[in-house]
Amino acid sequence: MYGPVSANCGGVSEGVRIYPNPAKGKFYVEVNVAELEGGASIVLTDAKGAHIYTQPVVVQQDVNTFVIEDLNVTPGIYYLQITNGTYSTEVQKVSLR
């Protein structure tokens, strides 16, 4: 038998929440992932996989909220991931208008 299959289009995944999504101008990334505690990076890529934005962050225990703003990008779908070199979150879609 096969296990369950799931897809995440709701903006919340394994302790990461992005809002508002779609966003115009700025959006928030809420992180509550114990594996990311310490220094990490929020990375935004385009559809071609090119890194268009990287923000170093310090993730502390419990909920952390980071603001992403002043992006000089064309409207479209982008992909956000948070990594600390040993652990990476699931890639999430962000719609920027």
Side-chain angles (χ1 to χ4, degrees):
M1 293 299 302
Y2 296 100
V5 175
S6 67
N8 184 356
C9 298
V12 178
S13 174
E14 59 178 277
V16 177
R17 180 175 171 236
I18 299 170
Y19 62 92
N21 192 6
K24 184 175 184 178
K26 74 176 176 181
F27 62 93
Y28 300 88
V29 179
E30 192 174 271
V31 182
N32 187 6
V33 180
E35 292 88 351
L36 288 174
E37 287 180 18
S41 293
I42 297 173
V43 179
L44 196 65
T45 58
D46 65 14
K48 296 178 183 176
H51 289 210
I52 60 160
Y53 178 83
T54 302
Q55 178 175 320
V57 295
V58 176
V59 178
Q60 299 177 357
Q61 186 176 9
D62 295 322
V63 178
N64 302 257
T65 303
F66 304 104
V67 179
I68 309 296
E69 59 187 337
D70 298 325
L71 296 173
N72 188 18
V73 297
T74 57
I77 301 295
Y78 294 86
Y79 302 92
L80 185 139
Q81 187 172 41
I82 306 168
T83 184
N84 66 3
T86 57
Y87 182 84
S88 297
T89 63
E90 214 175 272
V91 174
Q92 293 192 46
K93 288 184 187 178
V94 181
S95 177
L96 300 178
R97 298 182 183 229

